[in-house]
Amino acid sequence: KTKTGVCLLQDGNQEPFKVRLHLAKDILMIQEQDVICVSGEPFYSGVSSFYFFFKMFFTRKTCYCYLFYFQGGAEHNIPVVISKISKEQRAELSGLLFIGDAILQINGINVRKCRHEEVVQVLRNAGEEVTLTVSFLKRAPAFLKLPLNEDCACAPSDQSSGTSSPLCDSGLHLNYHPNNTDTLSCSSWPASPGLRWEKRWCDLRLIPLLHSRFSQYLPGSDLCRQNAFQVIAVDGVCSGIIQCLSAEDCIDWLQAIASNISNLTKHNIKKINRNKKKNQQIVYMGWTEEREQDSLQDRMYTPKFLALRGSSLYKFIAPPVTTWDWTRAEKTFSVYEIMCKILKDSDLLDRRKHCFSVQSESGEDLYFSVELESDLTLWEKAFQTATFLEVERIQCKTYACVLESHLMGLTIDFSMGFVCFDAATKAVLWRYKFSQLKGSSDDGKSKIKFLFQNQDTKQIEAKELEFSNLFAVLHCIHSFFAAKVACLDPLYVGSQATASAAPTTSGTGKLKYTT
């Protein structure tokens, strides 16, 4: 999808300002209006150095000298920028320093990422002979909050011998008026014949969409912003808070961005899977937010990247890129030994709407949130598919158990159903098909009581076994049961049939079977 529209952007503590969003296949472009040269030679290009001699006096917030003022600094996410040049002083007379220039170096010292006060200190200690390295900064007009006139044809002034201003400052307008009595000289601006300036949308920030994430919520909380969201690239670059004009506009943007991220992810998975064995194929990759179990944490939610690959569910703090990354997952679970539940409104723990839970083989409950209902549907279908494919691949799973103090084994077989045998002699004690299982119960610790129906007598036969890993067994039975139904009905995979055709959780650690 491609989409273009105008929104407001709030970046840090700045006041919201108008930007244009342009969504392409693999990138989100955030653009701001700026004045640019559209004819003749650009008034300033590259980086230049000049040498001059001066003395200066400093105040706390601005630097006044006999030459120029400057604003900005790293605390504003911008280099220090020349905001005013004193009339008929050395900086103006040199013809080399202009309003909007960023100071990059002072006597060879790199100050691009220095705070305002740090630059003041560098200048204070620079001595009387100072060499500045400067470059015109495209973001300067927006930062200095200089108004941009709609009529962008520059008219030369009578006083400045053809000099025209691409910006305006303290009354010095884009189209110079001869009545202007500002104390700044128009020669503060670079002069060049035949120049024309226009107000255009210029790239402010580019957000690559592959593995990026977006959120309507305040970071770490369940508080949803009103008609606003932010997009965070995989390298941590943030769009800032994008404020839409209406709730409908916000949803449209979120769905369009989500669709493009999903398509990029699918394409990336397809490329990765070309060189992977069947049992190492990736089924799903995507961002979620995990709810912290410790209620005392400052952050209620933390971003986590989930991946379904082969037999495992991986939980990462960042998307895996290399083979080594896959070995560094925060946690890994066997996909057929965990239980996933899509949460209804009555099951939600807070104000986040689209949530699911995962119960691990040890009984640990994990709680995740996604942004959109479509994200939730995508996860549910992917988990069902991954489980089915893995059960189909392994065909059977055996667990050690105890029956009346004797070591036994219970095999859950995709073809035969349930088989219980003596661990020492391998002699089969009993065997039942999946269709004969009518129900079960457990004590939430180690024991499971199975209720099977005898095919001949139609009587219910109870079989009780004790396991050391109760939840893994319960979840495995659920996975095999669901896969068996899916095998009989291929349309089952990715459908909503699980709720009525497969085992469902009923209370803590309990399974209820319906057919």
Side-chain angles (χ1 to χ4, degrees), residues 10 23 42 65 95 128 154 236 275 324 333 351 372 395 410 441 456 474 490 494:
Q10 184 170 9
L23 178 66
C65 62
E128 295 185 342
C154 293
N275 302 319
W324 172 246
F333 310 93
R351 285 169 285 192
L372 302 175
Q395 288 294 309
L410 176 68
S441 63
D456 299 325
L474 293 174

Side-chain angles (χ1 to χ4, degrees), residues 311-315 331-335 338 360-361 364 366:
S311 63
S312 300
L313 166 63
Y314 296 83
K315 185 176 73 169
K331 282 192 176 180
T332 306
F333 310 93
S334 295
V335 72
I338 59 177
S360 71
E361 59 268 28
E364 178 187 11
L366 307 175

Side-chain angles (χ1 to χ4, degrees), residues 79-99:
V80 291
V81 178
I82 303 300
S83 60
K84 188 179 293 185
I85 299 177
S86 299
K87 188 176 181 181
E88 296 182 357
Q89 294 295 321
R90 195 155 201 164
E92 182 219 10
L93 297 175
S94 71
L96 295 172
L97 189 65
F98 306 106
I99 296 174

